[in-house]
Amino acid sequence: MEDLFARQRARYLSGATRPVRARLDALAKLHEVLKRHEGELLRALAEDLGKSPEEAYMTEMGVVYDELRFARRRLRAWSLPRFALPSVGQFPGYGLVRRDPYGLVLILSPWNYPLQLCLAPLIAAVAAGNCVVARPSSQAPRTAQALAAVVSEAFAPDHVSVALGDAAQAETLVRLPFDKIFFTGSPAVGRRVMAAASENLTPVTLELGGKSPAIVAADADVALAARRIVFGKTLNAGQTCVAPDYVLVARGVENALLDALRGQIRAQFGPEPLQSPDLARIVNRRHFERLSALLSEGRLICGGQTDPARLKIAPTVLFGVPPDGAAMSEEIFGPILPVLPFSSMQEALAFVRARPAPLALYLFTRDRDAARHIMADLAYGGGCVNDCVLHLANPRLPFGGVGQSGMGAYHGKAGFDCFTRPKSVYAASARLDLPVRYAPRGGRLALLRRLMR
């Protein structure tokens, strides 16, 4: 790995990755190779996570293609220096702000969306002019191998390379003096990555998670809320960092919501959800057993069935879960949805504020003024009004967390900014000068006050 690191450093210092034309050519080649390997990648996602080809394309391949198209169409504009007017003391010069690539970038991606969450930041890093080492999760091994094949065909290894290996290899990688580290995963591992990066003073972007709430107000369209909450909760069998982790529902509409949730699970997955081709599986036995232990909390509204042989859990709704119970103590990351009632919106907002800022917030209400106030007032990474999850599908919207749900953002222009840093340049006139700045300065205080007040 040290040899690859040295070769990538040499390539970056050669300037080969900096020209915009070279970046565009690299992104075009990646697009071409992805198209050629699309079937293989979809099969890998099915093997690792049981994703249907439709879900895999909608949530992984399609998102990657969208990021590629968006970056390729706008990269020249993003790369232009930004003019800055001079201050009084700088006249008659001018300022420029350039976006400079960091250099060598390490991307550590997770298992739950192993294609999208590896390639989306990789696209941004390449567009920004960096060399990249990407380390996909070993818990989605088939997809990791397919990614390695795609990257090796699309890029020279001293430009972009995929490192396959276990957690020990990841710990070795984060201790190398990369110029930027991008990590997607759990807050616990994110803390370890940040601690290791601090040894080299390496800047990090952390895309983490947390308990993202869905708030259903008394005036909400309950049927619509249920349909979209079930959609967001069951993508990838709930193994989605922005899935609605729990629902807060206004008293008086809780029974209608519970009935609607039960009906939507049946409508989307049939009378036997475990047999539905649209229900992905849990990634491994450990997570399956952890999730199964949560099924006994609260009152079972629907679901609860499990298939240990295929690592599948039916979409499950629980009501009356204790606020301090196991299901509410950490991110569920599975198809289990606790529903808790609240008596006033102030109570609901206080409940959210009392916990670490979530990665996502979802609010269902017909009151536009209340929606503007609530979405502006609470701390969260990003969110939706009257929908779930879809805020991350728009490359025009930065995606990232806050506090324990992460730091930094990417997607679209935000991704380009994530993997570059602003470099300021002042260009002074070679002819005109302001003698007031030079010593001796005695007697010039009044003039300086007039100029710099």
Side-chain angles (χ1 to χ4, degrees):
M1 191 53 63
E2 287 80 2
D3 177 64
L4 174 63
F5 187 89
R7 286 189 289 125
Q8 287 203 344
R9 177 70 71 191
R11 182 186 180 98
Y12 177 73
L13 293 177
S14 76
T17 64
R18 286 177 171 265
V20 172
R21 182 69 263 166
R23 306 182 200 184
L24 288 170
D25 288 345
L27 294 176
K29 182 64 180 295
L30 176 60
H31 201 165
E32 172 194 325
V33 174
L34 281 171
K35 288 283 189 182
R36 195 155 52 242
H37 289 266
E38 186 177 290
E40 176 188 345
L41 291 164
L42 294 177
R43 286 191 294 274
L45 292 166
E47 289 183 30
D48 283 334
L49 292 157
K51 293 187 181 187
S52 69
E54 294 80 9
E55 179 177 330
Y57 195 94
M58 178 177 66
T59 63
E60 303 233 38
M61 290 297 312
V63 175
V64 169
Y65 286 146
D66 202 22
E67 286 287 333
L68 268 169
R69 282 190 297 269
F70 196 83
R72 291 173 65 188
R73 290 171 181 169
R74 294 162 176 80
L75 181 55
R76 291 192 183 278
W78 295 345
S79 302
L80 291 173
R82 179 171 57 83
F83 178 78
L85 289 170
S87 66
V88 172
Q90 293 176 328
F91 185 82
Y94 63 92
L96 288 175
V97 180
R98 302 181 182 276
R99 299 299 308 191
D100 219 29
Y102 276 101
L104 269 64
V105 168
L106 173 64
I107 295 173
L108 301 168
S109 58
W111 54 262
N112 59 327
Y113 289 88
L115 181 70
Q116 181 214 140
L117 296 180
C118 179
L119 290 183
L122 188 152
I123 289 163
V126 170
N130 299 282
C131 291
V132 182
V133 174
R135 192 267 174 185
S137 172
S138 59
Q139 294 190 62
R142 183 70 180 85
T143 307
Q145 291 166 3
L147 277 169
V150 165
V151 167
S152 66
E153 186 175 332
F155 302 97
D158 60 352
H159 185 193
V160 181
S161 185
V162 168
L164 300 177
D166 58 12
Q169 185 221 45
E171 291 183 9
T172 299
L173 284 170
V174 297
R175 298 190 185 283
L176 292 174
F178 283 93
D179 302 306
K180 172 82 176 188
I181 295 177
F182 186 101
F183 169 80
T184 305
S186 70
V189 179
R191 289 186 181 93
R192 298 206 298 270
V193 170
M194 192 170 183
S198 70
E199 296 296 320
N200 294 309
L201 296 179
T202 300
V204 297
T205 294
L206 300 178
E207 298 294 342
L208 307 177
K211 296 189 72 63
S212 298
I215 303 174
V216 180
D219 67 338
D221 182 331
V222 171
L224 179 72
R227 187 181 191 191
R228 293 180 175 173
I229 289 170
V230 169
F231 159 79
K233 185 61 174 177
T234 56
L235 280 176
N236 197 28
Q239 298 167 122
T240 303
C241 59
V242 291
D245 192 86
Y246 63 97
V247 175
L248 297 174
V249 58
R251 292 188 187 277
V253 298
E254 68 268 40
N255 289 331
L257 179 67
L258 293 173
D259 288 342
L261 289 170
R262 184 190 299 112
Q264 277 301 318
I265 290 172
R266 184 180 181 88
Q268 295 184 36
F269 295 94
E272 298 183 21
L274 292 177
Q275 306 307 316
S276 171
D278 291 307
L279 181 65
R281 68 174 177 83
I282 307 306
V283 66
N284 58 36
R285 180 70 53 186
R286 178 172 63 87
H287 281 289
F288 176 85
E289 292 176 354
R290 176 185 63 82
L291 290 166
S292 297
L294 302 178
L295 295 172
S296 59
E297 291 206 355
R299 176 162 61 93
L300 181 67
I301 301 301
C302 66
Q305 302 90 355
T306 66
D307 184 341
R310 295 190 299 150
L311 298 181
K312 286 200 169 191
I313 297 177
T316 299
V317 177
L318 302 173
F319 187 71
V321 172
D324 57 352
M328 293 300 296
S329 63
E330 62 180 17
E331 186 177 6
I332 292 173
F333 223 63
I336 301 170
L337 184 67
V339 178
L340 294 81
F342 63 85
S343 299
S344 67
M345 186 57 72
Q346 290 72 26
E347 179 188 343
L349 301 185
F351 188 92
V352 175
R353 289 193 188 101
R355 288 153 177 78
L359 182 57
L361 175 76
Y362 306 118
L363 174 65
F364 291 86
T365 180
R366 290 187 174 96
D367 188 332
R368 293 185 179 182
D369 289 337
R372 279 194 292 268
H373 172 74
I374 292 167
M375 298 304 282
D377 192 44
L378 289 176
Y380 55 93
C384 303
V385 176
N386 294 319
D387 215 329
C388 291
V389 177
L390 292 190
H391 63 293
L392 64 78
N394 185 350
R396 294 171 180 82
L397 294 177
F399 174 71
V402 58
Q404 291 192 42
S405 61
M407 61 178 68
Y410 73 121
H411 286 184
K413 175 63 161 55
F416 178 83
D417 291 344
C418 174
F419 290 102
T420 58
R421 63 178 189 84
K423 183 167 70 177
S424 299
V425 177
Y426 166 63
S429 170
R431 295 184 178 182
L432 301 178
D433 210 352
L434 289 178
V436 68
R437 69 175 178 167
Y438 301 107
R441 301 183 183 87
R444 297 177 182 172
L445 181 58
L447 176 59
L448 288 168
R449 280 176 171 159
R450 285 198 300 272
L451 290 174
M452 303 179 71
R453 185 172 298 243

